[in-house]
Amino acid sequence: MKIYCLFTAVLAFASTAAIAGNYQSCRISSGMKSFCGAPFSGEAVIQDQGRYKNCRISSGMKSFCGVPFSGEAVIQDQGRYKSCRISSGMKSFCGVPFSGEAVITD
């Protein structure tokens, strides 16, 4: 039982670290990542606890997120990065695949 609990705790920690990600400013072409630079520092809209929020990123790691975001943001949708309309942190509409610079997790 103790080994199972330890394994579960390690798995939960590893899953959290994988979800946290390393945020980078990347070049996106037709919805696909083509090149990423160094870890990002600044403000970006990212998914946090199931909702899209404007978050502070420091050296690629999320440090603080505010209230759910409303507006336009580049997010991954159906396997491609698209410019999407976000309302109260939830995706409401996405357009065609995005081309340009975006902050994403790598």
Side-chain angles (χ1 to χ4, degrees):
M1 182 66 177
K2 289 181 183 180
I3 293 173
Y4 175 76
C5 290
L6 178 61
F7 176 73
T8 303
V10 168
L11 184 61
F13 178 74
S15 297
T16 302
I19 291 170
N22 182 28
Y23 293 95
Q24 298 175 301
S25 180
C26 299
R27 175 79 186 141
I28 309 293
S29 181
S30 298
M32 302 299 289
K33 175 177 66 173
S34 61
F35 173 79
C36 294
F40 178 79
S41 290
E43 298 281 326
V45 174
I46 62 171
Q47 194 168 27
D48 178 60
Q49 299 177 346
R51 293 199 177 245
Y52 291 96
K53 299 177 181 177
N54 193 27
C55 299
R56 175 81 186 135
I57 309 293
S58 180
S59 298
M61 302 302 291
K62 174 180 70 174
S63 62
F64 172 78
C65 293
V67 297
F69 177 79
S70 290
E72 295 284 326
V74 174
I75 63 170
Q76 194 167 26
D77 178 59
Q78 299 177 350
R80 298 219 176 221
Y81 291 97
K82 300 177 182 178
S83 182
C84 299
R85 175 78 188 141
I86 309 294
S87 181
S88 299
M90 303 299 289
K91 174 181 71 175
S92 60
F93 172 79
C94 293
V96 297
F98 176 78
S99 290
E101 292 284 326
V103 174
I104 62 173
T105 187
D106 191 36

Short mmCIF file of all heavy atoms in Angstrom, two decimals, residues 43-47 52-55 68-77 81-98 101-103:
data_model
loop_
_atom_site.label_atom_id
_atom_site.label_comp_id
_atom_site.label_asym_id
_atom_site.label_seq_id
_atom_site.Cartn_x
_atom_site.Cartn_y
_atom_site.Cartn_z
N GLU A 43 3.87 38.72 -20.36
CA GLU A 43 2.45 38.40 -20.20
C GLU A 43 1.98 37.59 -21.42
O GLU A 43 2.34 37.91 -22.55
CB GLU A 43 1.62 39.68 -20.11
CG GLU A 43 1.95 40.55 -18.93
CD GLU A 43 1.33 40.05 -17.63
OE1 GLU A 43 0.22 39.49 -17.67
OE2 GLU A 43 1.98 40.22 -16.58
N ALA A 44 1.18 36.56 -21.16
CA ALA A 44 0.63 35.74 -22.25
C ALA A 44 -0.68 35.11 -21.81
O ALA A 44 -0.90 34.87 -20.62
CB ALA A 44 1.62 34.66 -22.66
N VAL A 45 -1.55 34.84 -22.78
CA VAL A 45 -2.79 34.12 -22.50
C VAL A 45 -2.48 32.63 -22.63
O VAL A 45 -2.06 32.17 -23.68
CB VAL A 45 -3.92 34.53 -23.47
CG1 VAL A 45 -5.16 33.67 -23.24
CG2 VAL A 45 -4.26 36.00 -23.29
N ILE A 46 -2.68 31.90 -21.52
CA ILE A 46 -2.43 30.46 -21.50
C ILE A 46 -3.57 29.76 -20.76
O ILE A 46 -4.35 30.41 -20.06
CB ILE A 46 -1.09 30.10 -20.84
CG1 ILE A 46 -1.05 30.55 -19.38
CG2 ILE A 46 0.08 30.70 -21.63
CD1 ILE A 46 0.17 30.05 -18.62
N GLN A 47 -3.64 28.46 -20.92
CA GLN A 47 -4.66 27.70 -20.21
C GLN A 47 -4.17 27.41 -18.80
O GLN A 47 -3.05 26.93 -18.61
CB GLN A 47 -4.98 26.41 -20.94
CG GLN A 47 -6.26 25.77 -20.45
CD GLN A 47 -6.73 24.66 -21.35
OE1 GLN A 47 -5.96 24.02 -22.04
NE2 GLN A 47 -8.03 24.43 -21.36
N TYR A 52 -8.71 29.83 -19.99
CA TYR A 52 -7.68 30.68 -20.55
C TYR A 52 -7.61 31.96 -19.72
O TYR A 52 -8.63 32.59 -19.45
CB TYR A 52 -7.97 30.99 -22.02
CG TYR A 52 -7.81 29.75 -22.86
CD1 TYR A 52 -8.90 28.98 -23.20
CD2 TYR A 52 -6.55 29.34 -23.28
CE1 TYR A 52 -8.76 27.81 -23.95
CE2 TYR A 52 -6.39 28.18 -24.03
CZ TYR A 52 -7.50 27.43 -24.35
OH TYR A 52 -7.35 26.27 -25.08
N LYS A 53 -6.38 32.28 -19.28
CA LYS A 53 -6.16 33.45 -18.42
C LYS A 53 -4.94 34.21 -18.91
O LYS A 53 -4.05 33.64 -19.54
CB LYS A 53 -5.93 33.02 -16.97
CG LYS A 53 -7.11 32.27 -16.37
CD LYS A 53 -6.79 31.82 -14.96
CE LYS A 53 -7.96 31.04 -14.36
NZ LYS A 53 -7.63 30.53 -13.02
N ASN A 54 -4.87 35.50 -18.59
CA ASN A 54 -3.69 36.30 -18.86
C ASN A 54 -2.73 36.04 -17.70
O ASN A 54 -3.05 36.33 -16.55
CB ASN A 54 -4.04 37.78 -18.97
CG ASN A 54 -2.92 38.58 -19.55
OD1 ASN A 54 -2.10 38.06 -20.30
ND2 ASN A 54 -2.86 39.86 -19.22
N CYS A 55 -1.57 35.45 -18.02
CA CYS A 55 -0.64 35.03 -16.98
C CYS A 55 0.73 35.69 -17.14
O CYS A 55 1.14 36.04 -18.25
CB CYS A 55 -0.45 33.51 -17.03
SG CYS A 55 -1.97 32.58 -16.74
N PRO A 68 -10.24 34.87 -15.51
CA PRO A 68 -10.43 34.34 -16.87
C PRO A 68 -10.43 35.44 -17.92
O PRO A 68 -10.97 36.53 -17.71
CB PRO A 68 -11.78 33.63 -16.77
CG PRO A 68 -11.84 33.17 -15.35
CD PRO A 68 -11.22 34.32 -14.58
N PHE A 69 -9.80 35.15 -19.05
CA PHE A 69 -9.57 36.09 -20.14
C PHE A 69 -10.77 36.16 -21.09
O PHE A 69 -11.43 35.15 -21.35
CB PHE A 69 -8.33 35.62 -20.92
CG PHE A 69 -8.01 36.45 -22.12
CD1 PHE A 69 -7.36 37.66 -22.01
CD2 PHE A 69 -8.32 36.00 -23.39
CE1 PHE A 69 -7.04 38.42 -23.12
CE2 PHE A 69 -8.00 36.73 -24.52
CZ PHE A 69 -7.37 37.95 -24.38
N SER A 70 -11.02 37.34 -21.63
CA SER A 70 -11.98 37.54 -22.72
C SER A 70 -11.29 38.35 -23.80
O SER A 70 -10.69 39.39 -23.51
CB SER A 70 -13.24 38.27 -22.24
OG SER A 70 -14.01 37.44 -21.40
N GLY A 71 -11.35 37.87 -25.04
CA GLY A 71 -10.71 38.56 -26.16
C GLY A 71 -10.20 37.56 -27.18
O GLY A 71 -10.65 36.42 -27.23
N GLU A 72 -9.24 37.99 -28.01
CA GLU A 72 -8.65 37.14 -29.04
C GLU A 72 -7.31 36.60 -28.54
O GLU A 72 -6.53 37.35 -27.94
CB GLU A 72 -8.39 37.94 -30.33
CG GLU A 72 -9.66 38.43 -31.00
CD GLU A 72 -10.41 37.33 -31.73
OE1 GLU A 72 -9.77 36.42 -32.29
OE2 GLU A 72 -11.64 37.39 -31.74
N ALA A 73 -7.06 35.31 -28.79
CA ALA A 73 -5.79 34.70 -28.40
C ALA A 73 -5.47 33.55 -29.35
O ALA A 73 -6.38 32.94 -29.93
CB ALA A 73 -5.86 34.18 -26.97
N VAL A 74 -4.18 33.27 -29.50
CA VAL A 74 -3.74 32.13 -30.30
C VAL A 74 -3.65 30.93 -29.36
O VAL A 74 -2.92 30.97 -28.37
CB VAL A 74 -2.38 32.39 -30.98
CG1 VAL A 74 -1.89 31.14 -31.68
CG2 VAL A 74 -2.50 33.55 -31.95
N ILE A 75 -4.43 29.89 -29.67
CA ILE A 75 -4.43 28.66 -28.87
C ILE A 75 -4.42 27.45 -29.80
O ILE A 75 -4.68 27.57 -31.00
CB ILE A 75 -5.66 28.58 -27.93
CG1 ILE A 75 -6.97 28.53 -28.73
CG2 ILE A 75 -5.66 29.75 -26.93
CD1 ILE A 75 -8.19 28.23 -27.88
N GLN A 76 -4.12 26.30 -29.22
CA GLN A 76 -4.17 25.08 -30.02
C GLN A 76 -5.61 24.58 -30.06
O GLN A 76 -6.26 24.45 -29.03
CB GLN A 76 -3.24 24.02 -29.44
CG GLN A 76 -2.99 22.88 -30.40
CD GLN A 76 -1.84 22.00 -29.96
OE1 GLN A 76 -1.55 21.90 -28.78
NE2 GLN A 76 -1.21 21.35 -30.91
N ASP A 77 -6.09 24.33 -31.27
CA ASP A 77 -7.46 23.87 -31.49
C ASP A 77 -7.44 22.80 -32.57
O ASP A 77 -7.00 23.07 -33.69
CB ASP A 77 -8.35 25.05 -31.92
CG ASP A 77 -9.78 24.64 -32.19
OD1 ASP A 77 -10.43 24.11 -31.27
OD2 ASP A 77 -10.23 24.83 -33.33
N TYR A 81 -2.60 25.57 -34.30
CA TYR A 81 -2.70 26.86 -33.60
C TYR A 81 -3.57 27.79 -34.43
O TYR A 81 -3.36 27.95 -35.63
CB TYR A 81 -1.31 27.46 -33.37
CG TYR A 81 -0.54 26.64 -32.37
CD1 TYR A 81 0.38 25.68 -32.79
CD2 TYR A 81 -0.74 26.80 -31.00
CE1 TYR A 81 1.06 24.90 -31.87
CE2 TYR A 81 -0.06 26.03 -30.08
CZ TYR A 81 0.83 25.08 -30.52
OH TYR A 81 1.51 24.31 -29.60
N LYS A 82 -4.58 28.37 -33.76
CA LYS A 82 -5.54 29.25 -34.43
C LYS A 82 -5.78 30.48 -33.57
O LYS A 82 -5.62 30.44 -32.35
CB LYS A 82 -6.87 28.53 -34.66
CG LYS A 82 -6.76 27.28 -35.51
CD LYS A 82 -8.10 26.58 -35.63
CE LYS A 82 -7.99 25.30 -36.45
NZ LYS A 82 -9.27 24.61 -36.52
N SER A 83 -6.21 31.57 -34.21
CA SER A 83 -6.63 32.75 -33.49
C SER A 83 -8.09 32.51 -33.10
O SER A 83 -8.94 32.30 -33.96
CB SER A 83 -6.51 34.00 -34.37
OG SER A 83 -6.89 35.14 -33.63
N CYS A 84 -8.33 32.51 -31.79
CA CYS A 84 -9.66 32.15 -31.29
C CYS A 84 -10.26 33.25 -30.43
O CYS A 84 -9.54 34.02 -29.79
CB CYS A 84 -9.58 30.86 -30.47
SG CYS A 84 -8.99 29.43 -31.38
N ARG A 85 -11.56 33.30 -30.42
CA ARG A 85 -12.30 34.21 -29.54
C ARG A 85 -12.50 33.48 -28.22
O ARG A 85 -12.98 32.34 -28.19
CB ARG A 85 -13.65 34.56 -30.17
CG ARG A 85 -14.55 35.40 -29.32
CD ARG A 85 -14.12 36.85 -29.34
NE ARG A 85 -14.90 37.57 -28.35
CZ ARG A 85 -14.42 38.52 -27.59
NH1 ARG A 85 -13.19 38.90 -27.72
NH2 ARG A 85 -15.17 39.12 -26.71
N ILE A 86 -12.07 34.13 -27.12
CA ILE A 86 -12.19 33.57 -25.77
C ILE A 86 -13.18 34.44 -25.00
O ILE A 86 -13.07 35.66 -25.02
CB ILE A 86 -10.83 33.56 -25.05
CG1 ILE A 86 -9.73 32.92 -25.91
CG2 ILE A 86 -10.94 32.89 -23.69
CD1 ILE A 86 -9.89 31.47 -26.19
N SER A 87 -14.13 33.81 -24.33
CA SER A 87 -15.10 34.53 -23.53
C SER A 87 -15.13 33.94 -22.12
O SER A 87 -15.40 32.75 -21.95
CB SER A 87 -16.49 34.43 -24.18
OG SER A 87 -17.44 35.13 -23.42
N SER A 88 -14.81 34.77 -21.13
CA SER A 88 -14.74 34.33 -19.73
C SER A 88 -13.88 33.08 -19.57
O SER A 88 -14.22 32.17 -18.82
CB SER A 88 -16.14 34.10 -19.16
OG SER A 88 -16.89 35.29 -19.20
N GLY A 89 -12.77 33.05 -20.30
CA GLY A 89 -11.82 31.95 -20.17
C GLY A 89 -12.13 30.72 -21.00
O GLY A 89 -11.35 29.77 -21.00
N MET A 90 -13.24 30.72 -21.73
CA MET A 90 -13.64 29.55 -22.51
C MET A 90 -13.60 29.88 -24.01
O MET A 90 -14.03 30.96 -24.41
CB MET A 90 -15.05 29.09 -22.13
CG MET A 90 -15.21 28.76 -20.65
SD MET A 90 -14.15 27.43 -20.07
CE MET A 90 -14.91 26.04 -20.86
N LYS A 91 -13.11 28.94 -24.80
CA LYS A 91 -13.05 29.11 -26.25
C LYS A 91 -14.47 29.18 -26.80
O LYS A 91 -15.30 28.35 -26.48
CB LYS A 91 -12.31 27.92 -26.87
CG LYS A 91 -12.28 27.90 -28.37
CD LYS A 91 -11.54 26.67 -28.89
CE LYS A 91 -12.36 25.44 -28.63
NZ LYS A 91 -11.81 24.22 -29.18
N SER A 92 -14.74 30.20 -27.64
CA SER A 92 -16.08 30.29 -28.23
C SER A 92 -16.06 30.14 -29.75
O SER A 92 -17.00 29.65 -30.33
CB SER A 92 -16.78 31.59 -27.82
OG SER A 92 -16.06 32.71 -28.24
N PHE A 93 -14.97 30.58 -30.41
CA PHE A 93 -14.88 30.45 -31.86
C PHE A 93 -13.43 30.54 -32.30
O PHE A 93 -12.68 31.37 -31.79
CB PHE A 93 -15.68 31.58 -32.55
CG PHE A 93 -15.48 31.62 -34.03
CD1 PHE A 93 -16.15 30.74 -34.87
CD2 PHE A 93 -14.59 32.51 -34.61
CE1 PHE A 93 -15.94 30.75 -36.24
CE2 PHE A 93 -14.38 32.55 -35.97
CZ PHE A 93 -15.05 31.66 -36.79
N CYS A 94 -13.03 29.69 -33.24
CA CYS A 94 -11.68 29.74 -33.80
C CYS A 94 -11.76 29.89 -35.31
O CYS A 94 -12.63 29.29 -35.95
CB CYS A 94 -10.90 28.47 -33.46
SG CYS A 94 -10.53 28.30 -31.71
N GLY A 95 -10.83 30.66 -35.85
CA GLY A 95 -10.77 30.88 -37.29
C GLY A 95 -9.84 29.89 -37.97
O GLY A 95 -9.62 28.78 -37.49
N VAL A 96 -9.26 30.33 -39.06
CA VAL A 96 -8.35 29.50 -39.86
C VAL A 96 -7.02 29.35 -39.11
O VAL A 96 -6.72 30.11 -38.20
CB VAL A 96 -8.13 30.11 -41.26
CG1 VAL A 96 -9.43 30.15 -42.02
CG2 VAL A 96 -7.49 31.47 -41.17
N PRO A 97 -6.19 28.37 -39.50
CA PRO A 97 -4.88 28.21 -38.86
C PRO A 97 -4.06 29.51 -38.89
O PRO A 97 -4.07 30.24 -39.87
CB PRO A 97 -4.22 27.11 -39.68
CG PRO A 97 -5.37 26.27 -40.14
CD PRO A 97 -6.46 27.28 -40.44
N PHE A 98 -3.38 29.78 -37.79
CA PHE A 98 -2.63 31.02 -37.55
C PHE A 98 -1.23 30.96 -38.14
O PHE A 98 -0.58 29.91 -38.14
CB PHE A 98 -2.54 31.24 -36.03
CG PHE A 98 -1.74 32.42 -35.61
CD1 PHE A 98 -2.26 33.69 -35.67
CD2 PHE A 98 -0.43 32.26 -35.14
CE1 PHE A 98 -1.52 34.79 -35.26
CE2 PHE A 98 0.32 33.34 -34.73
CZ PHE A 98 -0.23 34.62 -34.80
N GLU A 101 3.81 35.05 -34.77
CA GLU A 101 4.49 34.75 -33.51
C GLU A 101 3.45 34.53 -32.42
O GLU A 101 2.48 35.27 -32.33
CB GLU A 101 5.39 35.92 -33.10
CG GLU A 101 6.58 36.13 -33.99
CD GLU A 101 7.69 35.11 -33.75
OE1 GLU A 101 7.91 34.68 -32.62
OE2 GLU A 101 8.33 34.74 -34.75
N ALA A 102 3.68 33.52 -31.57
CA ALA A 102 2.78 33.25 -30.45
C ALA A 102 3.57 32.61 -29.31
O ALA A 102 4.58 31.94 -29.55
CB ALA A 102 1.65 32.33 -30.89
N VAL A 103 3.08 32.80 -28.10
CA VAL A 103 3.68 32.15 -26.94
C VAL A 103 2.94 30.84 -26.72
O VAL A 103 1.71 30.82 -26.55
CB VAL A 103 3.58 33.03 -25.68
CG1 VAL A 103 4.08 32.28 -24.45
CG2 VAL A 103 4.37 34.31 -25.87
#
